[in-house]
Amino acid sequence: MIKVDHISKDFISPKKYPGLKGAVKGLFSSEKTVKTAVDDISFTIQKGEIVGYIGSNGAGKSTTIKMMTGILTPTRGECTVAGIDPNKRRKENAQNIGVVFGQRTQLWWDLPLSESFTILKEIYNVSDDDYAERMEFLNRVLELQEFFDRPVRTLSLGQRMRADLGAALLHNPKVLYLDEPTIGLDLVVKDNIREAIKEINEKYQTTVILTTHDIGDIEELCSRIIIIDEGKKIYDGSLTELKDIYGTKREVSMEIKQPEKVKELHFARLFGVEEEDCRSEFDKENSVLCVTFDKHKIQAPQVLSAVMDVAEVTDVQIQETELAEIVREIYHHGVIER
Amino acid sequence: MGIIVMNKCKRYLRLYRVLVSQFLKTIMQSKVDFLMGLFGFFFSQIIGIAFLYLVFQQIPSLQGWTLDQLIFIYGFAQIPRGIDHLFTDNIWLVAWRLVVNGDFDRYMLRPMNIFFQVIAEKLQPDAMGELLVGVILVVRSLTRGVLIVDGPHVVLFFVSIFAGALIYTSIKLFFAGLAFWIKISGPFLQVAYQMSDFAKYPTEIYARGIRFLITWVIPFAFVAYLPASFFLKAGTSAMIIGIECGIAVLFWCIAYAVFERGTHVYESAGN
């Protein structure tokens, strides 16, 4: 459905110098600074996939999306969406896609929401039958009727987001681009939006690409994620695989009655692993023991039984490394070795 | 081929009606603004004419032009200006805001011609002031008998108005299009547009440099004074309307090409 082939985008700006003197100097110099926002990215996305496109601020997410939607022309490389190059045949491409930018609405601000839908019906040449069918569906999953007659500017952020999503779907696009679709929304609304996206994807086989900082969006929605950093693609694969590669740490916390007995235990030596693969630590009150270990080398029950052999355990908690932490670590360290 | 083009025209006309009626619904919500704008422009027109009278109390004729003729030139100049102002005012927003703040994105995302979307988004009711004054002054000139009235002149009158409006639009579009490279081109557009004030009077009264500038570089002389002289009993040949049309088409092509090229270098804005 989408084929991105070695695209890059450079932004060229006049070189700036600090201070007033610098500003004057900048006027007369012809030096340019080139910032490569997207650097040689390729990927292919199949029909019906939901792909999370993630990266830190300024990593080049929006720039890539804007190239795929036809807003920006790539400096190098090309992409096709449903067989069409969005930069060469912008209008045809526009008919095939729906776009929601979380921080910008594409609705008519001062008019009732219903008017926006009437206009969009005309713009995208949606037939009366299709319109009726689509509206019935959108009303069900997004509950637009609640505020259908209110001016868009009076809608709450959550309502506006639902409205924007509905507006982007009215012409049944083959591809739906969502840039930060849940930004600033409360948990309940987030859930609704995610449910709606899922349903749309299932019913119409819509391909969905979403950028987000919200790990919940990814865990709930995306079968596949692409991570970019400083304009380069650093990961492309399934969520479980990512967790496997990166989320190797597991943590067991135990509430213990006789902590002094456990203190004598040396876990790394006990399991015959490196010091860094198994660490233990007591909390301040000296009652909860926390053991962090590599899940490929040690199993949680091994740790438990080792402790229970010497002391009485009253409570146990096992934690997997959260995706948020993985992503944070990736942003921090850059490329993942695979 | 012909059918495809016709269907396209039909579709765009229909879209234009839909989009403009949405705009009208929006402004009807603030009737006060609407009336104030209309009044303001009418007022500034009256001041312009009063100024002409004032000048002529001192000097009875200007480079051989009588007051009645000058009033026609002034009035005639208002009509293409008013038409352009009415239909394409949104171009200003491209120059000042839409490109630099990234709002231009929305035009790129819709399956319609981009220039069409820009102008269909807004009508400028203030322009009614200019149009009204223009029509009143032209009618007045008719009753004063300063105009040549026959078949060809009447037809060319309308051709000239259309070509003149197109020149206005082209100049605006060209300078607004520069925004794609320099982000904000409003100041340049403003300066260029203000040149049109020169065109309300006979160009002979200006220094040669300015005359050259407004005739050939930013050709506002062709939207007012030069064609107006054809309709007055001044012996100007019909060629002048031909040249006006030629300039209109040429400038439109240049401006549209710049604008179109610009949409490909558009850089949007970060979130």
Side-chain angles (χ1 to χ4, degrees), chain B:
Chain B
M1 188 64 193
I3 293 171
I4 296 173
V5 172
M6 223 166 76
N7 281 342
K8 230 177 186 174
C9 284
K10 256 195 209 156
R11 178 168 147 70
Y12 272 104
L13 275 175
R14 191 182 156 85
L15 283 170
Y16 192 75
R17 219 190 53 225
V18 172
L19 292 170
V20 165
S21 66
Q22 299 310 324
F23 168 74
L24 292 177
K25 277 180 205 162
T26 311
I27 56 164
M28 289 312 171
Q29 293 176 345
S30 53
K31 293 189 187 75
V32 184
D33 285 0
F34 176 77
L35 291 174
M36 285 297 279
L38 216 65
F39 179 75
F41 263 74
F42 203 70
F43 196 69
S44 77
Q45 293 295 321
I46 289 169
I47 290 176
I49 298 163
F51 179 73
L52 270 184
Y53 274 104
L54 220 65
V55 169
F56 271 86
Q57 279 180 348
Q58 309 301 318
I59 26 168
S61 80
L62 191 66
Q63 301 276 348
W65 298 98
T66 66
L67 177 62
D68 282 339
Q69 290 177 321
L70 285 171
I71 284 181
F72 172 71
I73 295 172
Y74 186 95
F76 178 73
Q78 299 309 314
I79 297 178
R81 182 189 176 89
I83 290 174
D84 165 72
H85 194 184
L86 178 64
F87 290 109
T88 74
D89 203 45
N90 213 31
I91 293 176
W92 283 95
L93 234 51
V94 175
W96 282 112
R97 271 222 306 272
L98 299 178
V99 171
V100 71
N101 71 11
D103 278 343
F104 199 83
D105 286 7
R106 69 168 182 266
Y107 301 130
M108 306 288 285
L109 294 173
R110 300 234 154 104
M112 293 182 282
N113 176 279
I114 294 175
F115 173 73
F116 169 81
Q117 292 183 63
V118 173
I119 61 164
E121 206 167 72
K122 188 178 172 189
L123 283 183
Q124 181 48 275
D126 299 0
M128 294 312 232
E130 288 159 340
L131 286 172
L132 210 59
V133 167
V135 170
I136 290 171
L137 294 186
V138 168
V139 169
R140 175 191 180 277
S141 305
L142 279 171
T143 63
R144 289 294 182 116
V146 292
L147 299 178
I148 306 169
V149 187
D150 58 18
H153 277 78
V154 172
V155 172
L156 289 179
F157 179 82
F158 289 105
V159 170
S160 172
I161 283 175
F162 178 76
L166 188 60
I167 291 176
Y168 262 103
T169 306
S170 305
I171 290 169
K172 271 159 64 180
L173 189 63
F174 174 83
F175 284 97
L178 296 183
F180 291 112
W181 287 270
I182 60 176
K183 304 289 177 221
I184 298 175
S185 63
F188 297 95
L189 175 54
Q190 190 119 40
V191 169
Y193 193 76
Q194 260 157 15
M195 297 270 182
S196 67
D197 283 341
F198 287 121
K200 290 190 281 201
Y201 311 104
T203 47
E204 288 105 351
I205 65 172
Y206 304 116
R208 287 182 63 181
I210 292 181
R211 210 153 71 193
F212 181 80
L213 183 72
I214 62 171
T215 309
W216 302 114
V217 184
I218 302 175
F220 280 122
F222 277 101
V223 301
Y225 166 64
L226 292 173
S229 67
F230 168 70
F231 301 108
L232 291 165
K233 292 168 179 160
T236 314
S237 117
M239 270 294 283
I240 200 78
I241 308 294
I243 300 173
E244 182 190 9
C245 291
I247 286 183
V249 171
L250 177 71
F251 271 70
W252 167 255
C253 291
I254 295 172
Y256 192 78
V258 167
F259 181 78
E260 166 67 22
R261 181 81 208 104
T263 59
H264 287 279
V265 302
Y266 173 58
E267 292 196 335
S268 189
N271 288 331

Side-chain angles (χ1 to χ4, degrees), chain A residues 11 62 66 70-73 87 90-91 94-95 103-104 106 108 111 115 119 122-125 179, chain B residues 11 14 19 22 25-26 29 101-103 105 107-112 114 264 266-269 271:
Chain A
F11 289 111
S62 292
K66 281 174 183 169
I71 293 174
L72 295 178
T73 309
N87 295 288
R90 188 192 61 80
K91 278 180 274 183
Q95 187 74 39
Q103 281 143 329
R104 240 176 225 156
Q106 51 159 339
W108 277 256
L111 295 173
E115 297 277 3
I119 307 171
E122 290 295 333
I123 290 177
Y124 290 97
N125 236 338
D179 198 1
Chain B
R11 178 168 147 70
R14 191 182 156 85
L19 292 170
Q22 299 310 324
K25 277 180 205 162
T26 311
Q29 293 176 345
N101 71 11
D103 278 343
D105 286 7
Y107 301 130
M108 306 288 285
L109 294 173
R110 300 234 154 104
M112 293 182 282
I114 294 175
H264 287 279
Y266 173 58
E267 292 196 335
S268 189
N271 288 331

Side-chain angles (χ1 to χ4, degrees), chain A residues 272-283:
Chain A
V273 296
E274 297 289 319
E275 199 73 34
E276 64 190 31
D277 288 335
C278 188
R279 291 168 196 284
S280 61
E281 192 175 48
F282 268 98
D283 72 336

